[in-house]
Amino acid sequence: MDYKMSLTPGQQAILDGKEGEIKALIMQTLVRFGDIFGAKKLVPVTHKDGHLVTSFGIGLLKPLFRTMDRIIAEGVTAQGKLTVDPRPVDYDNVKCNPLEKLVFDKILYSQQQRYEEQLKKVGLKDDNAFTCTCYLDEVGNIPKEGDILSWAESSAVVYANSVLGARCNRNSGMLDLFGSIIGYVPEFGLLTDEGRKATWIVKVVTTKVPEAQILGSAIGMKVMEDVPYVVGLDRFLGNKLNDDVKGYLKDFGAATASNGAVGLYHIDGLTPEAKKYGKSLIVPDAKEYVVDDAELERVCQSYPNMWKKPNAKPTQCFIGCPHLTYKQLCDWTDNIVKGLEANKKKKVAIRTILCASPDVADKFRATEGYQKLIKTGAKLTSICPLMYTNNPLTKGKAIATNSNKLRTYSVSRYYKTADLLDIITGKEGN
Ligand code: F3S
């Protein structure tokens, strides 16, 4: 094949088929992908554990299953362990009617079992590996600063780049696996020093800590795929990446990545590269965006209400897209319990489903907090709520969420966290 980038003799040997036919084909794909984006070379993946975006066995993805079969037949595996986005269904905790079950099992996710078996054979970490928050301590797929990754899943990639200081492009499904198998990825974009420079300076001048999901959404919609350098946020978040701040940045980043296509952000005085290089990360002619209270309100009011019956009251809500951290899960539990007490209620007013990774959920299930949560009638699951909501059968439901990613990709309606808590706990007037 013709290609522009320069390869090492070892990389050329793989391309020439010296390590088998499937690896040659995978190498071809990586080289073509790199050429399209002007990469000059392939660089080693230094954090070997991959993260894959495709977690669901949708029957339509026949080429994916065939490729996986070929990889397995040649005995090829990822070089490290793989974590994968969340599973689509959990009938114990996210109730479905018989028709929904039929559609999920027989049509939408008919290949789930087959795909999970394939994942095990190519390097799945373990049975708990299904989460978009693979980088949390409980899950353990944690790159170091400066590591090169072969990951996909926009919310995980933006977190790894921004909060951990690792380097990863916004890859698509299959490329994440291919880089994890070959151990090289094309060098361009967010893998380069130049690509990590900020072309936007965002000034946060709000009077109180902005809702992470709305601030992220506002910035994402403004800068799209560019890199923003955010000043003024450390006034509220401080200068340490503690559990609360990590949870905030997880939600903020997911909103920048889904409402726009941000793969990296810098927070002045807080994220690793901003701490190290400061404002020298900003290009000289950077554009400016000022975010005040009114701007956040304008953005929030602009979200469309896509419910079939726009004036309906919500009947169900999902919290934890991306999956909740352990601290967030504890905080939600406390807030629901206290809210119910204050409103003199025993049970949540709508079906309330909290989503967290299997490892975080297991840790929480061993605590008293879990018993308190279950007593309120709320449920804990590890599914991806988008997989559940994104089908014709749930489109008629009045689903609420405080996730801007879920709001963007489904017909769920966005509520600010405090408003959602009032609805859940049956506060009068909701
Ligand atoms: Fe995670 Fe699914 Fe939301 S992958 S970020 S829970 S859409």
Side-chain angles (χ1 to χ4, degrees):
M1 70 175 264
D2 284 342
Y3 60 86
K4 295 195 209 85
M5 69 168 72
S6 77
L7 299 183
T8 64
Q11 292 164 350
Q12 183 66 52
I14 300 174
L15 187 66
D16 292 342
K18 301 272 171 8
E19 294 190 19
E21 202 186 330
I22 193 74
K23 278 200 177 178
L25 285 171
I26 291 174
M27 189 56 127
Q28 258 185 36
T29 310
L30 289 169
V31 170
R32 285 216 172 94
F33 174 59
D35 269 355
I36 290 170
F37 286 94
K40 299 251 177 339
K41 59 180 180 181
L42 295 173
V43 286
V45 172
T46 59
H47 177 76
K48 299 287 182 199
D49 292 344
H51 182 80
L52 311 185
V53 67
T54 310
S55 59
F56 40 85
I58 289 192
L60 286 174
L61 291 178
K62 289 199 178 92
L64 165 74
F65 307 126
R66 274 202 302 270
T67 309
M68 293 290 273
D69 280 339
R70 284 192 67 183
I71 292 170
I72 294 160
E74 286 202 30
V76 169
T77 60
Q79 295 192 3
K81 290 291 168 202
L82 300 171
T83 50
V84 190
D85 265 3
R87 292 183 169 110
V89 289
D90 165 10
Y91 297 134
D92 290 336
N93 296 300
V94 187
K95 288 263 173 290
C96 293
N97 65 36
L99 181 61
E100 285 172 329
K101 269 192 184 172
L102 190 77
V103 169
F104 283 147
D105 290 346
K106 302 285 177 220
I107 302 170
L108 267 178
Y109 307 122
S110 60
Q111 300 299 307
Q112 189 64 25
Q113 234 179 332
R114 175 184 176 195
Y115 182 53
E116 288 195 21
E117 284 306 316
Q118 291 179 322
L119 285 172
K120 277 183 199 154
K121 289 182 182 144
V122 298
L124 185 72
K125 179 172 161 280
D126 54 34
D127 211 38
N128 270 5
F130 292 87
T131 176
C132 43
T133 53
C134 60
Y135 44 78
L136 296 180
D137 290 346
E138 292 82 357
V139 189
N141 187 354
I142 313 170
K144 295 185 304 299
E145 193 178 335
D147 267 337
I148 307 282
L149 319 182
S150 181
W151 286 16
E153 165 51 44
S154 64
S155 69
V157 167
V158 73
Y159 188 94
N161 274 319
S162 313
V163 183
L164 303 178
R167 295 188 170 210
C168 186
N169 279 313
R170 280 174 55 107
N171 298 305
S172 58
M174 288 318 273
L175 278 168
D176 47 11
L177 177 63
F178 288 176
S180 298
I181 286 174
I182 297 292
Y184 294 106
V185 282
E187 188 183 49
F188 67 93
L190 298 174
L191 265 53
T192 67
D193 289 344
E194 215 35 50
R196 297 178 76 83
K197 288 260 167 87
T199 49
W200 281 87
I201 176 153
V202 177
K203 293 185 174 163
V204 176
V205 295
T206 53
T207 55
K208 56 182 191 311
V209 58
E211 184 117 350
Q213 298 266 5
I214 303 177
L215 179 64
S217 154
I219 294 175
M221 287 196 275
K222 179 62 80 178
V223 313
M224 295 312 292
E225 74 278 16
D226 289 348
V227 178
Y229 188 99
V230 183
V231 296
L233 196 53
D234 60 337
R235 279 185 301 137
F236 302 110
L237 301 186
N239 303 99
K240 284 209 175 71
L241 290 168
N242 59 30
D243 285 349
D244 284 327
V245 171
K246 285 185 193 166
Y248 184 100
L249 294 180
K250 162 183 75 73
D251 294 338
F252 163 82
T256 66
S258 57
N259 287 215
V262 173
L264 163 69
Y265 57 81
H266 302 293
I267 310 284
D268 194 44
L270 182 58
T271 52
E273 278 153 280
K275 270 191 152 174
K276 220 183 254 175
Y277 307 112
K279 296 197 173 66
S280 70
L281 284 169
I282 306 167
V283 301
D285 55 347
K287 289 169 266 203
E288 192 177 291
Y289 177 39
V290 178
V291 181
D292 57 14
D293 296 340
E295 174 64 356
L296 287 183
E297 208 41 48
R298 182 194 68 76
V299 168
C300 190
Q301 294 304 326
S302 73
Y303 301 149
N305 175 355
M306 314 256 286
W307 283 352
K308 232 179 185 165
K309 292 185 189 141
N311 297 324
K313 290 208 163 190
T315 54
Q316 185 171 348
C317 73
F318 280 102
I319 298 156
C321 166
H323 279 171
L324 296 169
T325 65
Y326 182 75
K327 176 77 169 40
Q328 288 178 319
L329 191 48
C330 296
D331 290 347
W332 266 103
T333 301
D334 283 351
N335 291 336
I336 291 174
V337 169
K338 280 187 198 138
L340 287 174
E341 266 167 30
N343 298 330
K344 303 200 176 16
K345 300 266 160 52
K346 292 235 168 327
K347 297 277 179 194
V348 289
I350 61 173
R351 279 172 71 191
T352 301
I353 299 153
L354 305 182
C355 309
S357 68
D359 287 312
V360 166
D362 281 353
K363 180 174 166 184
F364 188 65
R365 283 194 191 97
T367 67
E368 237 177 75
Y370 178 67
Q371 299 308 326
K372 286 187 193 163
L373 179 72
I374 292 309
K375 245 179 144 179
T376 70
K379 298 282 185 187
L380 175 59
T381 183
S382 294
I383 65 159
C384 166
L386 180 57
M387 298 291 108
Y388 169 81
T389 48
N390 196 10
N391 74 79
L393 295 176
T394 48
K395 287 214 162 93
K397 296 185 181 176
I399 298 177
T401 184
N402 66 340
S403 161
N404 236 322
K405 180 169 180 180
L406 188 58
R407 192 260 322 155
T408 303
Y409 295 131
S410 73
V411 295
S412 311
R413 188 169 168 192
Y414 184 82
Y415 285 86
K416 290 178 189 166
T417 297
D419 296 339
L420 191 55
L421 183 64
D422 285 347
I423 294 169
I424 292 169
T425 55
K427 189 171 179 187
E428 252 167 66
N430 284 287

